[in-house]
């Protein structure tokens, strides 16, 4: 059997084999393995938790215990494929398609508000697809907004400006996020709108935007939230959710039911949990939307404090590696994109776990990597692909 040296290429037709070997070795060394492994373990845990939450739900799975399991496996396979495609194509080459992607996000958000949109849990946030599938455009909007704002804020020459982007560029970037954010809010989807607001702040901060802009936007956001509340733009069920958050004892069998049952499920897990597929609250179907919004309660009940803590640690690894990738990015565009992703995942993780623990209002945001859903799974793995592509590019320049 022949052996090949990675330091000197062999002669003749064996050069193609040597190039393949060295290319694979180079890619393996440049991948961010802590990020990749943490994301894969989280996704695997999510598959198990979704199966545990849905295998006995005959009202949802039409008598097929593996119905949601098989669909989630398909969602993960597509998400991994999209991640691999981004890594192969590269985030810099993707910049040329960003305007088209952003326009697609706006068009899809408009379609949601048309008769083609469908309402789920009071929010008109979905587009029905053939085969019984549904797509939530607001998940894709997060990717489109991050890339579009980064494209503007990291325009040629911006890396030489020490005082950040000028006011015109900042206003253009704010317009980029305002259009889809307003469309998402009209659905109305408060949770996704909050995520977009956090993304905007993170992206602007990463670009070096002045502190006055950041503080002004925070004040504007607070004033806007008060105005929305006072004018009555929120639906009754959304107002009830905020009321239940402010007063957990309010209507425990009604608007406060979700949060109360979530707390009971997590608290019953103790240190080691009741065992995977053996949670009494999960088996008894006491927690609504447990495979989507409240999947963390399955972990708390069946895997206990240690299992739920492991999930928190793994999500922390994802965020830590995202910050490192942002710091080491070879260009401002990569830095801004990475920070936007970190801001999105950090806030959405805190919000989802917070509403399961009763320290945040219920907003219907999925838990990254773990909640059931194709749209959220595709978006989060595209985000991982972007982070890995930035990491690979930064190491190729060393």
């Amino acid at each position: 059997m022949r052996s090949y040296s990675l330091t000197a290429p062999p002669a003749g037709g064996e050069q193609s084999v040597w190039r393949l070997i060295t290319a694979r070795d180079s890619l393996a060394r440049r991948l961010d393995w802590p990020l990749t492994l943490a994301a894969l373990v989280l996704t695997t845990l999510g598959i198990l938790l979704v199966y545990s939450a849905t295998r006995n739900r005959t009202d949802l799975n039409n008598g097929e215990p593996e119905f949601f399991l098989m669909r989630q496996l398909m969602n993960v396979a597509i998400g991994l494929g999209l991640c691999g495609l981004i890594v192969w194509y590269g985030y810099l080459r993707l910049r040329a398609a960003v305007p088209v992607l952003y326009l697609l996000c706006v068009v899809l958000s408009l379609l949601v508000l048309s008769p083609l949109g469908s309402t789920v849990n009071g929010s008109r946030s979905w587009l029905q697809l053939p085969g019984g599938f549904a797509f939530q455009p607001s998940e894709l909007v997060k990717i489109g907004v991050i890339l579009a704002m980064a494209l503007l804020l990291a325009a040629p020459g911006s890396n030489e400006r020490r005082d950040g982007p000028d006011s015109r560029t900042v206003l253009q970037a704010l317009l980029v996020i305002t259009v889809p954010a307003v469309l998402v809010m009209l659905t109305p989807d408060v949770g996704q709108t909050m995520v977009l607001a956090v993304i905007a702040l993170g992206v602007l901060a990463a670009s070096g935007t002045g502190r006055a802009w950041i503080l002004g936007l925070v004040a504007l956001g607070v004033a806007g939230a008060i105005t929305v509340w006072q004018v009555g733009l929120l639906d009754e069920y959304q107002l009830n959710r905020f009321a239940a958050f402010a007063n957990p004892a309010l209507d425990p069998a009604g608007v406060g039911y979700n949060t109360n049952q979530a707390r009971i499920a997590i608290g019953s897990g103790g240190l080691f949990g009741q065992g995977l597929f053996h949670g009494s609250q999960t088996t008894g179907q006491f927690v609504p939307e447990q495979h989507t919004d409240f999947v963390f309660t399955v972990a708390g009940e069946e895997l206990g404090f240690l299992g739920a803590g492991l999930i928190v640690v793994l999500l922390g690894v994802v965020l830590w590696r995202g910050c490192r990738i942002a710091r080491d990015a070879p260009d401002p565009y990569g830095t801004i994109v990475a920070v936007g992703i970190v801001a999105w995942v950090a806030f959405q993780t805190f919000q989802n776990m917070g509403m399961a623990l009763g320290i945040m209002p219920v907003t219907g945001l999925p838990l990254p990597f773990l909640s059931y859903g194709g749209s959220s799974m595709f978006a989060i793995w595209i985000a991982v692909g972007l982070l890995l592509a930035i990491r690979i590019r930064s190491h190729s320049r060393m």
Side-chain angles (χ1 to χ4, degrees):
M1 180 178 294
R2 296 176 183 267
S3 61
Y4 298 100
S5 170
L6 297 182
T7 58
E14 295 175 349
Q15 283 192 358
S16 59
V17 178
W18 176 81
R19 288 171 182 167
L20 179 61
I21 294 174
T22 54
R24 288 180 176 177
D25 177 72
S26 178
L27 179 61
R29 285 188 291 105
R30 287 184 289 164
L31 272 181
D32 193 307
W33 285 107
L35 169 63
T36 304
L37 293 176
L40 288 172
V41 173
L42 284 168
T43 302
T44 302
L45 287 172
I47 292 171
L48 295 174
L49 297 178
V50 166
Y51 179 54
S52 179
T54 59
R55 62 194 182 95
N56 294 321
R57 292 296 303 268
T58 56
D59 57 322
L60 297 177
N61 60 29
N62 299 318
E64 302 177 30
E66 290 82 24
F67 178 81
F68 285 96
L69 171 65
M70 299 310 296
R71 286 206 168 193
Q72 188 70 341
L73 286 172
M74 181 178 64
N75 293 335
V76 170
I78 296 174
L80 291 174
L82 292 171
C83 175
L85 185 63
I86 296 294
V87 171
W88 170 78
Y89 194 73
Y91 75 102
L92 290 178
R93 293 168 63 189
L94 189 63
R95 285 188 299 186
V98 168
V100 176
L101 176 61
Y102 176 78
L103 182 60
L104 177 63
C105 292
V106 173
V107 171
L108 291 175
S109 299
L110 286 170
L111 289 178
V112 167
L113 297 173
S114 74
L116 297 176
S118 61
T119 302
V120 177
N121 294 330
S123 179
R124 192 180 184 84
S125 303
W126 302 84
L127 290 174
Q128 290 297 328
L129 304 177
F133 294 92
F135 178 70
Q136 189 176 13
S138 58
E139 292 290 345
L140 181 63
V141 164
K142 290 181 283 194
I143 297 291
V145 160
I146 290 173
L147 294 176
M149 291 186 71
L151 190 64
L152 278 172
L153 295 168
S158 62
N159 55 337
E160 281 88 22
R161 291 197 304 265
R162 297 184 178 275
D163 56 345
D166 55 45
S167 297
R168 180 180 178 181
T169 303
V170 173
L171 289 173
Q172 290 174 338
L174 290 176
L175 179 61
V176 161
I177 196 170
T178 298
V179 174
V182 169
L183 294 176
V184 170
M185 187 62 195
L186 289 176
T187 55
D189 192 335
V190 176
Q192 297 287 11
T193 306
M194 291 168 62
V195 173
L196 292 175
V198 171
I199 287 173
L201 290 176
V203 165
L204 289 172
S207 69
T209 302
R211 187 178 304 175
W213 274 104
I214 303 298
L215 294 177
L217 289 172
V218 170
L220 183 63
V222 172
I226 295 174
T227 301
V228 167
W229 182 283
Q230 294 293 331
V231 175
L233 295 179
L234 297 179
D235 287 346
E236 183 178 358
Y237 80 94
Q238 292 172 317
L239 295 174
N240 290 337
R241 285 178 174 179
F242 283 101
F245 165 69
N247 182 11
L250 176 67
D251 194 11
V255 295
Y257 179 80
N258 288 23
T259 301
N260 289 330
Q261 292 301 321
R263 284 176 167 176
I264 293 172
I266 293 175
S268 65
L271 182 61
F272 299 104
Q274 299 180 17
L276 191 62
F277 308 132
H278 293 92
S280 56
Q281 292 291 113
T282 300
T283 303
Q285 304 173 21
F286 289 102
V287 183
E289 308 298 334
Q290 198 169 19
H291 61 303
T292 54
D293 301 346
F294 288 94
V295 71
F296 189 65
T297 64
V298 186
E301 180 183 30
E302 298 187 347
L303 305 181
F305 177 80
L306 294 179
L310 174 62
I311 289 174
V312 174
V313 169
L314 290 172
L315 284 165
V317 170
V318 172
L319 297 174
W320 164 54
R321 298 311 300 175
C323 290
R324 290 289 297 271
I325 290 170
R327 186 196 67 181
D328 299 334
D331 52 76
Y333 181 70
T335 297
I336 296 171
V337 169
V339 170
I341 292 172
V342 169
W344 154 26
V345 177
F347 176 78
Q348 191 160 315
T349 296
F350 176 76
Q351 171 62 31
N352 180 279
M353 291 183 176
M355 68 184 189
L357 295 170
I359 61 174
M360 292 294 284
V362 176
T363 56
L365 288 174
L367 184 58
F369 299 104
L370 288 101
S371 291
Y372 172 80
S375 305
S376 58
M377 189 63 68
F378 304 159
I380 194 63
W381 274 104
I382 289 174
V384 172
L386 288 169
L387 290 176
L388 292 176
I390 296 169
R391 157 83 175 192
I392 290 171
R393 175 71 177 178
S394 63
H395 276 247
S396 68
R397 292 166 60 95
M398 290 182 177

